[in-house]
Amino acid sequence: MMKKRGKTLLAAVLMMSLLSACGGGNGGTTANGGGDSSASPGAGGGSGDGQSINLRLYTYGTEEAYNWNHTLRAYEESHPGIKIELVQLSEKGDTQEAFKKLDLEAASSAQMDILMFSDPAGYAQRVALGMAEPLDEFIAKDGFKVEEDYKVDTRLNGKVYALPGKFNPWYVLLNKNHLEETGLEVPADWTWAEFADYAKKLTQGEGASKRYGTYFHGPQAGGWMEYLKLMMENQPENADFLKADGSSNLDDPNFRKTLELRVRMEKEDKSSVPYTDMISQKLAYRTQFFNESASMLLIGSWMNTEIGGTDKVPLNFNVAVAPFPKNTPEDETGLTPVTTDYVAVAAKSKHKQEAYDFVRWYTTEGQIVQGKNIPAWNQVGSEQVQGIIDTILSGTKNPEKVDKKSLVDTLMVSKASAIIPPASYQSEVYEAINEEYEKLILGNQDIEATIKNSQERVAKIIESNQK
């Protein structure tokens, strides 16, 4: 039975589509063949009639971050008769903008073959809307298991609707110059208590010129919720606000501990950039770190492509990397949130086998060809990982300023907690908890009230979506 959220979202998408008179092929910028699919050679046709098959790939990923021209050209050269047309849904890689455009395209008559989703909640929602084709039959024919072949298990309700591309564990970027000035070592294994201590010691000055020990880029508008699960995410099981069965996990004591950590660092230690500044000034995490306004930045390793500085964001100091902190010294090292691209076959595709073939290639060999991220594919060895890191850093402006050993060591030790299949109502849960946190951090309620209100609101969301 389709959940209420899915029905509401589908109706909204269809209504927006009608109001905007959205037509096929207008959802984003096309590249690598570009233009309307109806004008593309072989669109809708097959190689049997001498024409190439045109597959449309919808993505939020930019050329700078994904090396699309090189990657897609490599696939086309090794697969004669297949043409991949790139539809870039956001020129700046904005995932929210991309999702809106993707939903409009899905409700139109546009040709869609391959889809990329940026996060578990967005992936689950669009699976509930019927946008993605189940891949289980294709996978069975290929003879592998997702949970064995990849570091991320993408199953939803027992079925696979996407394969994971990149493997981006979260880590901590550190201003190595600031560490040396303060007499601090680059940590190879540390706890949240030590992280908070580092942040306090790294904080200097007052007023507009104050340098903070760290910057938390969330939560905001129901997004960047990783920053409200800090002491839950480094656990092997139940690392999210919801459990695998869709029930609430807000009675986990580590949820309370995370709230206590955030409040203490901002209100007592004054070592983290105030939440009000982040919201009112629309602060950017890159600017906060690379402009040296904050000495440490907890972020995902998609930053590998920028860690050595870029034309837009230059690097003027030395950078080191540390693993995601853990709760106690006895905890396992390296458990961390992991982001990936969920690469799916569109349910409306007329070339599902060819689309699946690309998805499988892209999430395996294609990740190595792309050379921009550590793959989620388990067949990639440590030497290949180091080679990819060398390639990534060589694309930055000042790779010599990066402590490569700390980066390699951190990436090699990182591992994902057990993946919890996202519920179709997960975004509603995120929004509710975000709103309650804002009341807390703005001084309108205490931690007890925040936990109680969050639990009650989430319980209602779960109940309404299970009817």
Side-chain angles (χ1 to χ4, degrees), residues 304-306 371-374 387-396:
N304 289 345
T305 59
E306 305 174 46
K372 285 290 187 178
N373 293 288
I374 305 303
I388 292 172
I389 291 171
D390 286 336
T391 300
I392 291 171
L393 291 180
S394 68
T396 63

Side-chain angles (χ1 to χ4, degrees), residues 235-421:
Q235 300 302 294
E237 304 286 341
N238 295 324
D240 208 334
F241 299 129
L242 297 176
K243 297 179 181 179
D245 62 2
S247 62
S248 174
N249 191 34
L250 294 183
D251 58 352
D252 187 327
N254 288 321
F255 175 53
R256 174 188 294 274
K257 291 178 181 178
T258 298
L259 296 178
E260 292 172 343
L261 177 72
R262 290 294 305 270
V263 170
R264 182 174 71 252
M265 292 185 68
E266 178 173 334
K267 304 298 184 181
E268 298 176 22
D269 297 347
K270 301 186 186 303
S271 61
S272 65
V273 176
Y275 186 82
T276 52
D277 288 0
M278 180 197 73
I279 297 298
S280 64
Q281 299 176 33
K282 297 181 180 179
L283 297 179
Y285 61 82
R286 290 176 177 85
T287 304
Q288 288 295 294
F289 183 70
F290 285 104
N291 284 4
E292 301 190 74
S293 297
S295 300
M296 300 190 297
L297 176 66
L298 184 71
I299 200 69
S301 57
W302 59 78
M303 287 298 292
N304 289 345
T305 59
E306 305 174 46
I307 194 174
T310 64
D311 289 330
K312 294 180 181 178
V313 187
L315 175 65
N316 299 308
F317 54 90
N318 295 317
V319 174
V321 183
F324 196 82
K326 54 191 186 181
N327 297 349
T328 70
E330 295 74 29
D331 285 348
E332 185 177 359
T333 301
L335 282 169
T336 180
V338 170
T339 58
T340 188
D341 292 317
Y342 296 85
V343 192
V345 173
K348 65 193 297 185
S349 174
K350 295 180 180 179
H351 302 289
K352 292 184 174 66
Q353 180 64 57
E354 291 82 2
Y356 165 78
D357 291 341
F358 173 80
V359 169
R360 174 63 170 163
W361 176 88
Y362 174 74
T363 59
T364 55
E365 301 169 41
Q367 290 295 292
I368 300 173
V369 171
Q370 196 170 58
K372 285 290 187 178
N373 293 288
I374 305 303
W377 189 33
N378 273 327
Q379 302 305 314
V380 178
S382 59
E383 290 186 4
Q384 288 173 303
V385 168
Q386 293 190 46
I388 292 172
I389 291 171
D390 286 336
T391 300
I392 291 171
L393 291 180
S394 68
T396 63
K397 303 295 290 185
N398 297 103
E400 75 282 355
K401 292 184 178 295
V402 178
D403 183 340
K404 180 184 168 184
K405 183 179 185 306
S406 68
L407 172 60
V408 172
D409 289 347
T410 295
L411 291 174
M412 294 304 294
V413 76
S414 296
K415 58 183 74 70
S417 303
I419 300 299
I420 300 174

Side-chain angles (χ1 to χ4, degrees), residues 63-81:
E63 172 62 27
E64 182 180 40
Y66 281 81
N67 203 12
W68 286 121
N69 288 329
H70 171 72
T71 305
L72 300 185
R73 185 168 60 249
Y75 185 77
E76 292 171 350
E77 290 175 354
S78 61
H79 294 75

Side-chain angles (χ1 to χ4, degrees), residues 93-114:
D94 185 318
T95 57
Q96 297 305 311
E97 176 189 11
F99 269 136
K100 291 178 182 178
K101 290 183 177 180
L102 181 66
D103 291 343
L104 288 171
E105 287 284 276
S108 76
S109 58
Q111 177 190 338
M112 306 181 83
D113 299 290
I114 303 155

